Structures are given as C-alpha cells and as structure tokens.
Amino acid sequence: MPVIEKVIDETPYIRTFVLDRTFRANPGQYVMVWVRGVDEVPMSLSYENAITVQKVGDATSAMFGLGKGDRLGVRGPYGNGFTLTGRSILVIAGGVGAAPLASLAELAHSSGISVTTLLGARTKTELLFAERFRQAGELRIATDDGSFGHAGFVTQLLERTDLSDFDGIYTCGPEQMMARILNIVKDSMLDRIQLSLHRYIKCGFGICGACCIDPEGLRVCADGPVFTGIRLANSEFGKYRRNECGMKVHVQ
Amino acid sequence: MSRDITIELTGLHLGNPVLLAAGILGSTGASLKRAAASGAGAVVTKSIGTVPKPGHPNPTMAETACGFLNALGLPNPSYREFADELRVAKEGGVPVIASIFGADAREFREVAEGLAGADAYELNLSCPHAEGYGAMVGTDPGLVEELTAAVKDCTRAPVWAKLTPNVTNITGIGLAAQRGGADAVVAINTVRGMAIDIESGYPVLGNKFGGLSGPSIKPIAIKAVYDLYEALDIPVIGVGGISSWQDAVEMIMAGAASVQIGTAAGRDPEIFRKVASGIISYLDSNRWELSDIRGLAHEVTYASD
Ligand SMILES: Cc1cc2nc3c(=O)[nH]c(=O)nc-3n(C[C@H](O)[C@H](O)[C@H](O)COP(=O)(O)OP(=O)(O)OC[C@H]3O[C@@H](n4cnc5c(N)ncnc54)[C@H](O)[C@@H]3O)c2cc1C
Ligand SMILES: Cc1cc2nc3c(=O)[nH]c(=O)nc-3n(C[C@H](O)[C@H](O)[C@H](O)COP(=O)(O)O)c2cc1C
C-alpha cells in the first residue's frame, strides 16, 4: 500500500496527496482509493504519483484526516484516459475536473501541441491548477461569483471561443457543465470532443456492471471514463444516472 | 459445414449454449442487450429483490493472486424499477432469465410476479455474502425445496435453481431443488473466501469476506457439475471459471447442458462469440455433435473396468 509522502493544500476544499509510488497512466485514467474502514472511491491521477481530492463526503473527509506517512490502498490505473490528437487543443475544466486535465495539458504542451484552457470554479480560491494550465499554454478563467476572470460559467467563455481553431476538445467537470458544452459544440465537433464521465463505480474491473450507461451499455469504469461526444450525444448523459442501488436518478 | 450448437434448455430455444452469468454486466437492460449482441445464447440478470438495496460498502471487489473476490451484497433497484430494464433487455433478441432472491417464499414469489415477462427465473439460493439471503437459504434442503416449489407455483416459465458450492453435499441440495420442481440447476455460485491487508490487518472487502470467482474455481465447478449430472434427472447448467472454449467443452463433458460465463465476460465483453465459435470449430474438427460430448467424462472406460 502506497505511503503518503506529502499533502498539498490546493484550495480550501481540495488537497493533493503525493504518493511514494508512480503509476504509468494516460491522463484521464483513474485509481480506486481505499480508505481503510471507510470506503473505496475512484480518483483520477492528477500527477503520475498523486491524486487530488475534493472534500465532499465520508471517504474524502477521511482522506483529509490523513497526512505524511499514512497509507492509502490504491489499485489501478483503470479506464481508458484521454487520447491526444492534432496540433491545437482546447481544455475545459470545471472544479475538481481539472485534476485529470492538468496532466493532459502538460503532456500536450511537451509534445508541441498548442493548449488553450478554459478553467472554471465557484470562486477564486477554488480554482484548481491554474498555474499548471498557464505553464502549458493560454488560460482563460471564469468564476461563478466573479471573484476572478469572467463572472459566470466557463461555458460562456466557450460560447465566445472560435472552435474552428481546435483539433480536439477535452473536458471534465460537473455533468451539467459538460452537457452544456456538448450542446454548444454540437454536430460539427462531436467526434473531436472527449468527455470524462462520473458514474457510481463499484468494482473498477468492468465486471459488476453498476456503472453501465444507456443505451449502449458502455461501462464507465472500463470502456470509459472518457467518451467521445458521438458516444454520448444520444445517451443518458446529462439526463439521468444510476445510484448505488441501480435506480435512475435525474442529473441536476 | 459448421456444426449446429443450438439447444433446447428447459423449453427455451437457445442459439448457442454460452450464457451470461448472474451479476456480471446484468444491472441494466442496455448492458444485457450488449451481452446478447456479443453472442450470448441467453442472458441472466443481476439478482433482483423486493426493495432497493445499495449493497455492501466498497471495496466490493478485489483481485487476488488466484481470482477475484467479490461482496457486492446484492445491490439492486427492486423489481419495480427493474421491470423496465427487463423490457429493454428483451430487445436483445435472446432469452432473458431473471435472477431473483428473497428471504422467504413470499418474497421470491413477489419478485417473480413483479418480473413477469422473464423467459425463465433463476433462483439465487447461493450468494455467499448477503445476510439472510442467498446461501443462507440455499444450504438448507428443506428451504430449497419449499422456495423452488413456491416459485414454480406462481409461474409457467421455467425455474432454475442456482446452487452454492459452500456445502458438504451439493447433490443433496440439487435433489431438493429437483423435488421442488426445478427445471434445471445452475452450479456454482462463488466460493466463500476472504483476503486481509497485511499492513493493517483490515479485511480487504468492505463486507470483510466474499466469494471467489474466476479460473481458480473451475475445478470446483467441474466436480460439482459432474456430481449433479450423475444424481439429477434435470439439466445442469455449468458456471465457474470458464474463460475459453476449452473450459466450456470441459464443463460440457462434465455434464453441463449449457454454460454460463461471469468474471471472464467482465474482462472481455465479446467473449461469448469467441467461446461459441471455438466450440463449433472443436466439434467440427472432431466430427462430433454437441450431444456427443455432453457428459462424456461419465462414459469413458478404464482398463480396469
Ligand atoms: C472516474 C472518476 C474519477 C474521479 N476523479 C476524482 C478526482 O480526481 N478528484 C475528486 O475529488 N473526485 C473525483 N471523482 C469523484 C469522487 O470519486 C467522489 O467525489 C467520491 O467518491 C466521494 O466519496 P465520499 O465518500 O467522500 O462522498 P459520498 O458522501 O459518498 O458521496 C458524494 C458524491 O460522491 C459520489 N460517490 C461516492 N462513492 C462513489 C463511487 N464509488 N464512485 C463514484 N462516485 C461516488 C456519490 O455518488 C455522490 O455524488 C471521480 C469520480 C470518477 C467516477
Ligand atoms: C461481481 C459478481 C457479482 C455476482 N453477482 C451475482 C448475483 O447477483 N447473483 C448470482 O446468482 N450470482 C452472482 N455472481 C456469481 C456468478 O454468477 C458466478 O456464479 C460465479 O462468479 C462463478 O462464475 P465465474 O467464475 O465465471 O465468474 C456474481 C459474481 C461476481 C464476480
């Protein structure tokens, strides 16, 4: 079990846990993180040796109680991750959705691909990895409360962006945000947009079927979590998901 | 010419004898349809009960050096919600078998009636890690007979009884299901097991223990199917550790009328077509029919005979 080497406060609610183990993974792949006695939850790799966690409930709160020298169970990496293509890409990150995208932006930059990032958060202090995105290319920021950059949603920045400049669009964040993005880019770029999905993940191996999405029965944990717009355009995405019991609940 | 591997199983017509096992990729109609499109001869749903259940806390699955441990804890949305998924699953064009569980005869009946339209019912008498359900009822021959009879009583669809290997005498349980009127038995469910994290002493699964699946349990399943085939008059459906056509052929030689694939289907959702076509090539090259190899292990002769 990996040992936590360092904990970095990224924002008041987001921390990075640097581990003593390196994972060979594509940006967008995730690991299952076991907090003993509490729960096991999926987390994207935010660096090759780290996860970046937003405190939202039991497991993530328990992680916030851990420090240097403590252990976390980590299995993976799992899932497909993003596929980098083209010479110029647009990255759209909302909240903790920046976690898998910062390494993607860095990889693109180091491969000579030009990167433009639209980064959104509720408020200035919750902006994640702004410096990493800035180092990788051009950065535009939106905050819901207007405390930094554009006052409003990151999707409004997107509406003002000329998409013909980009060979690919990569996004991760709240489902409502990504659903809006999918509407904005519609048709013209559906095959060139990649979205990282959040569904309740149990096994992570692709075996149990809890995270399958309609109508193709694709497994978010193994066939995803990254899907192209084409796969999601006429799917449950943006409409509903299934909870731990497998009951449909509306995406709000 | 390629061999015909269609079969009649408890009155159901199957395009091939390779089925999706319960609880793997079976939580939604779409995912069951995907298994059908990948060549499964029939698909079995996740086990469904009377009320929504979130199942056990994560970790619900762990990989060991010799197979997977799971303790999902029968998560399911209840038959009321699942009825819709069943309708979608049936669009897949192959028989859909509803796996059902309950604490007593009344609950089993309620779920079976709530999932009317299923092509058959598979009674989960064998989940090794759900308190009060599954193997808790499936180790008692009297209860097995009673529950099987109760469901037989309320439906005209075939009823299969799925057995646990976690008993001293699986044929005793199989005979009880047969007495209760089961049209077939399915063997085996997972083998009770556990793993412990040696850095902390914590059991690895959220439920502490669970059931082992995958290649390591195949010899256990082969023996169970072999024994059940000898003892019972009804068909035996073989499941446990099948991940190739060779495994399927071996299971059929032990006496299985058809096979189910669980864990390996999660690793490769396209496995059904591969296994089915492997069986066809095998039969072709030996100039055998499927019926020639079923139970073959019971018919071979020894020099000492
Ligand atoms: C592929 C993937 C990558 C992710 N990457 C990150 C990341 O890099 N950083 C980050 O902060 N969060 C990430 N998440 C979300 C993270 O898994 C949840 O925030 C976490 O599970 C919450 O657990 P909790 O016990 O603290 O909260 P809870 O109180 O249990 O629940 C809060 C929310 O988290 C969801 N959740 C709980 N358990 C799971 C589970 N097993 N699978 C999926 N969702 C669950 C619940 O549905 C609920 O919406 C990712 C999710 C997925 C699917
Ligand atoms: C993740 C998982 C979930 C399962 N869920 C169920 C279930 O709901 N009902 C059931 O009867 N069997 C369930 N099983 C047991 C399988 O159907 C099968 O009997 C067992 O896994 C052995 O086959 P395998 O080695 O091919 O996986 C489950 C198995 C696994 C691995």
Side-chain angles (χ1 to χ4, degrees):
Chain A
M1 267 199 190
V3 175
I4 298 170
E5 282 195 329
K6 191 161 71 169
V7 180
I8 305 166
D9 282 321
E10 305 285 1
T11 82
Y13 294 98
I14 301 178
R15 286 185 191 166
T16 293
F17 296 84
V18 181
L19 307 171
D20 68 348
R21 193 190 304 169
T22 295
F23 296 85
R24 284 190 48 180
N26 277 336
Q29 286 193 284
Y30 68 96
V31 289
M32 291 299 287
V33 180
W34 178 35
V35 192
R36 290 178 298 215
V38 186
D39 201 353
E40 187 189 44
V41 293
M43 288 289 159
S44 308
L45 287 164
S46 56
Y47 297 89
E48 59 180 6
N49 62 341
I51 54 171
T52 297
V53 179
Q54 182 174 33
K55 184 175 172 179
V56 295
D58 290 355
T60 50
S61 299
M63 278 187 232
F64 270 50
L66 301 178
K68 184 174 156 63
D70 289 330
R71 287 174 191 273
L72 281 171
V74 180
R75 58 185 177 95
Y78 297 127
N80 56 356
F82 295 103
T83 309
L84 258 186
T85 48
R87 314 233 303 260
S88 173
I89 66 166
L90 180 66
V91 171
I92 312 169
V96 79
L101 289 169
S103 10
L104 179 82
E106 286 165 353
L107 177 67
H109 178 64
S110 66
S111 323
I113 297 171
S114 127
V115 182
T116 303
T117 301
L118 311 181
L119 176 65
R122 256 187 327 104
T123 185
K124 180 183 172 184
T125 52
E126 284 300 316
L127 286 164
L128 177 62
F129 293 147
E131 201 42 47
R132 292 177 74 188
F133 289 115
R134 193 171 289 120
Q135 297 282 335
E138 188 189 333
L139 174 65
R140 296 176 214 157
I141 287 175
T143 51
D144 297 359
D145 66 358
S147 50
F148 198 89
H150 170 77
F153 296 134
V154 75
T155 46
Q156 292 162 340
L157 291 179
L158 176 66
E159 277 160 347
R160 297 183 200 160
T161 305
D162 182 359
L163 296 184
S164 61
D165 294 346
F166 303 103
D167 303 312
I169 303 178
Y170 300 83
T171 181
C172 183
E175 187 148 337
Q176 284 295 0
M177 176 198 94
M178 293 198 290
R180 290 262 275 289
I181 292 171
L182 199 57
N183 267 326
I184 294 168
V185 305
K186 233 171 182 142
D187 301 350
S188 52
M189 285 195 86
L190 280 187
D191 58 336
R192 277 175 287 163
I193 179 164
Q194 296 176 28
L195 311 94
S196 180
L197 229 61
H198 184 177
R199 284 294 177 274
Y200 201 95
I201 291 177
K202 295 200 181 211
C203 77
F205 295 114
I207 295 177
C208 79
C211 65
C212 289
I213 56 171
D214 294 341
E216 292 188 68
L218 296 167
R219 303 160 300 169
V220 170
C221 81
D223 300 311
V226 177
F227 297 101
T228 64
I230 291 186
R231 289 257 97 85
L232 297 182
N234 296 305
S235 74
E236 68 174 49
F237 173 72
K239 301 182 189 84
Y240 62 88
R241 57 185 177 83
R242 286 181 179 78
N243 66 12
E244 307 91 294
C245 307
M247 302 173 83
K248 287 181 187 171
V249 291
H250 286 285
V251 170
Q252 60 273 346
Chain B
M1 197 205 81
S2 98
R3 286 294 186 278
D4 178 17
I5 57 166
T6 62
I7 58 165
E8 292 291 327
L9 182 63
T10 66
L12 303 180
H13 182 75
L14 308 187
N16 73 67
V18 188
L19 280 54
L20 172 70
I24 288 84
L25 305 176
S27 299
T28 71
S31 149
L32 289 160
K33 256 168 87 173
R34 184 182 178 190
S38 308
V43 294
V44 185
T45 71
K46 176 73 198 166
S47 292
I48 305 298
T50 53
V51 291
K53 238 167 97 75
H56 295 312
N58 272 359
T60 44
M61 230 177 147
E63 194 167 6
T64 74
C66 60
F68 288 93
L69 280 173
N70 93 81
L72 269 299
L74 299 176
N76 83 95
S78 85
Y79 65 83
R80 288 179 192 85
E81 287 256 337
F82 198 76
D84 258 346
E85 309 284 356
L86 186 67
R87 253 189 301 283
V88 173
K90 292 199 67 164
E91 293 166 9
V94 303
V96 180
I97 291 87
S99 171
I100 64 177
F101 73 93
D104 53 33
R106 193 188 51 77
E107 285 194 8
F108 267 96
R109 240 185 340 243
E110 182 183 338
V111 182
E113 283 165 356
L115 295 176
D119 295 291
Y121 295 94
E122 184 178 285
L123 312 186
N124 183 348
L125 305 168
S126 45
C127 179
H129 52 76
E131 194 68 26
Y133 301 110
M136 302 281 284
V137 295
T139 50
D140 176 341
L143 264 179
V144 166
E145 182 176 345
E146 179 199 330
L147 296 174
T148 309
V151 179
K152 273 304 286 180
D153 212 37
C154 75
T155 178
R156 280 157 58 188
V159 174
W160 305 351
K162 180 151 176 199
L163 309 181
T164 173
N166 304 312
V167 290
T168 20
N169 176 14
I170 196 169
T171 55
I173 306 291
L175 286 166
Q178 181 171 289
R179 277 197 306 276
D183 298 278
V185 294
V186 183
I188 56 175
N189 208 310
T190 53
V191 178
R192 203 163 43 204
M194 184 169 179
I196 295 166
D197 167 40
I198 63 163
E199 276 157 8
S200 64
Y202 272 91
V204 169
L205 292 173
N207 183 55
K208 301 190 178 124
F209 69 95
L212 189 66
S213 67
S216 54
I217 70 166
K218 192 185 70 175
I220 299 170
I222 296 282
K223 169 70 170 142
V225 168
Y226 184 90
D227 290 351
L228 288 162
Y229 179 85
E230 296 254 290
L232 271 52
D233 303 321
I234 55 179
V236 182
I237 298 163
V239 53
I242 297 176
S243 57
S244 66
W245 66 262
Q246 290 92 335
D247 296 335
V249 165
E250 186 181 354
M251 194 67 89
I252 294 167
M253 286 184 171
S258 95
V259 301
Q260 295 180 350
I261 302 184
T263 303
R267 304 310 274 168
D268 174 11
E270 302 297 317
I271 197 164
F272 303 103
R273 188 165 289 119
K274 294 177 192 164
V275 171
S277 66
I279 295 173
I280 290 174
S281 315
Y282 168 81
L283 294 175
D284 268 346
S285 59
N286 288 289
R287 298 174 185 283
W288 277 332
E289 299 298 332
L290 194 57
S291 53
D292 295 330
I293 64 166
R294 185 173 311 135
L296 187 61
H298 300 264
E299 290 158 24
V300 290
T301 53
Y302 291 85
S304 56
D305 286 348

